[in-house]
């Protein structure tokens, strides 16, 4: 495939590396090459099969609008734009393009969501719960998109009166650590996912681009990762 990777940062650069290893043709645009979406005109995207975005919460929505309006498929890993999700779903449906989004492209975290979903039953048995997340100090959004996804799946499966509280820590170079703690008067359950590197995110994003090649519509990675 011919892939355009937006973002030369910690994750975008790994995505380009993994995509090259998987024999795709790669172009990369960082902030310098893409002011005001300059790299995303219909002419520039003509020969591109899909665009993968790992940039910033402030730039990602204009990127999405430009790519979808140009009729191209898109894989978005950038977090912190949930307020625009419904509008983007409508835009994708209108243009008949393919789109995959998740706050976390790691297969391990998606398995962890299933574990959290099962453990949420505790909230119907006098347990209270909390979510903790730790990331490196440069991370721009808090709470993390993954912590919000964990909060959603727990809410969906146990319907607690209030969403579990999320506490965020920003320290050192932590790649991403998420904990769910469920506590009763008698015991405590700890669930923890600790990312050792960004490689899992990059592999998930590239494999999602391959999966999307023959598809249309807006897809959440948590619903499709088993098919990769
Ligand atoms: N979904 C997942 O699995 C997952 C995993 C990891 C991270 N993330 C998310 O992905 C995003 C990026 O994370 P990161 O850790 O890689 O951040 P990062 O190291 O700060 O990289 C962000 C990059 O975005 C580039 N950028 C900014 N504006 C741009 C524009 N208009 N066009 C193209 N590139 C632009 C920057 O380019 P310059 O260097 O040129 O300024 C920078 O290299 C964050 O939102 C993070 O939460 C998601």
């Amino acid at each position: 495939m011919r892939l355009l990777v937006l973002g030369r940062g910690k994750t975008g650069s790994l995505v380009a590396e993994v995509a090259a290893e998987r024999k795709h043709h790669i172009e990369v645009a960082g902030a310098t090459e893409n002011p005001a979406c300059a790299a995303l005109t219909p002419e520039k995207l003509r020969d591109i099969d899909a665009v993968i975005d790992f940039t910033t919460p402030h730039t990602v929505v204009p990127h999405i609008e430009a790519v979808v309006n140009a009729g191209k498929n898109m894989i978005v890993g950038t977090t912190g734009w949930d307020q625009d999700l419904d509008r983007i779903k409508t835009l994708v449906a209108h243009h008949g393009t393919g789109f995959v989004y998740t706050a976390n492209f790691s297969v391990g975290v998606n398995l962890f969501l299933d574990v959290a979903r099962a453990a949420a039953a505790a909230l119907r048995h006098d347990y209270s719960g909390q979510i903790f997340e730790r990331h490196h100090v440069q991370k721009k959004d808090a709470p993390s998109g993954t912590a919000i996804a964990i909060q959603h799946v727990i809410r969906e499966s146990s319907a607690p009166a209030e969403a579990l509280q999320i506490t965020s820590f920003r320290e050192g170079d932590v790649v991403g650590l998420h904990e769910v703690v469920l506590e009763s008067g008698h015991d405590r359950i700890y669930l923890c996912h600790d990312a050792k590197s960004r490689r899992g995110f990059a592999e998930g994003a590239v494999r999602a681009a391959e999966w999307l090649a023959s598809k249309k519509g807006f897809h959440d990675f948590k619903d499709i990762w088993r098919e990769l």
Side-chain angles (χ1 to χ4, degrees):
M1 295 174 73
R2 294 179 74 90
L3 301 174
L4 171 63
V5 180
L6 294 178
R8 288 182 197 282
K10 292 180 283 299
T11 321
S13 50
L14 256 187
V15 169
E17 201 177 300
V18 168
E21 283 167 19
R22 293 176 73 86
K23 310 290 183 222
H24 298 297
H25 181 278
I26 312 304
E27 291 177 28
V28 181
T32 322
E33 298 96 334
N34 191 35
C37 299
L40 304 175
T41 62
E43 300 76 54
K44 293 252 173 74
L45 293 179
R46 199 180 52 221
D47 296 329
I48 297 291
D49 295 310
V51 179
I52 304 181
D53 189 303
F54 280 89
T55 62
T56 72
H58 304 297
T59 54
V60 64
V61 173
H63 294 171
I64 294 170
E65 289 167 346
V67 173
V68 176
N69 283 330
K72 295 294 175 173
N73 283 359
M74 192 162 191
I75 296 84
V76 173
T78 306
T79 53
W81 57 279
D82 283 3
Q83 67 285 357
D84 290 292
L85 261 178
D86 287 342
R87 193 170 58 79
I88 295 302
K89 284 179 185 172
T90 308
L91 189 72
V92 169
H94 177 72
H95 286 275
T97 58
F99 198 101
V100 180
Y101 169 61
T102 176
N104 201 307
F105 274 104
S106 124
V107 164
V109 157
N110 283 277
L111 276 167
F112 185 76
L113 290 177
D114 285 353
V115 174
R117 193 177 284 115
L123 298 173
R124 294 194 294 270
H125 296 275
D126 293 332
Y127 284 74
S128 60
Q130 287 191 75
I131 299 167
F132 299 96
E133 59 103 346
R134 290 170 198 274
H135 283 86
H136 53 90
V137 289
Q138 293 92 14
K139 185 165 173 62
K140 295 193 173 65
D141 52 324
S144 70
T146 303
I148 295 170
I150 294 168
Q151 189 187 50
H152 279 167
V153 298
I154 291 177
R155 189 157 215 188
E156 266 169 22
S157 53
S158 71
E162 285 176 29
L164 264 55
Q165 187 189 328
I166 302 174
T167 306
S168 302
F169 300 92
R170 296 289 171 263
E171 53 194 33
D173 55 1
V174 182
V175 175
L177 190 146
H178 292 87
E179 293 170 291
V180 178
V181 180
L182 298 160
E183 179 148 4
S184 75
H186 321 296
D187 57 8
R188 197 174 287 131
I189 302 168
Y190 291 105
L191 308 177
C192 176
H193 180 274
D194 188 4
K196 286 158 70 176
S197 81
R198 292 186 171 76
R199 179 104 195 167
F201 308 137
E203 287 193 3
V206 174
R207 291 172 65 195
E210 293 165 2
W211 177 89
L212 191 62
S214 54
K215 317 251 181 347
K216 289 180 176 184
F218 189 105
H219 304 274
D220 187 323
F221 186 73
K222 79 172 160 37
D223 302 321
I224 63 119
W225 65 269
R226 291 176 184 79
E227 298 173 34
L228 300 183

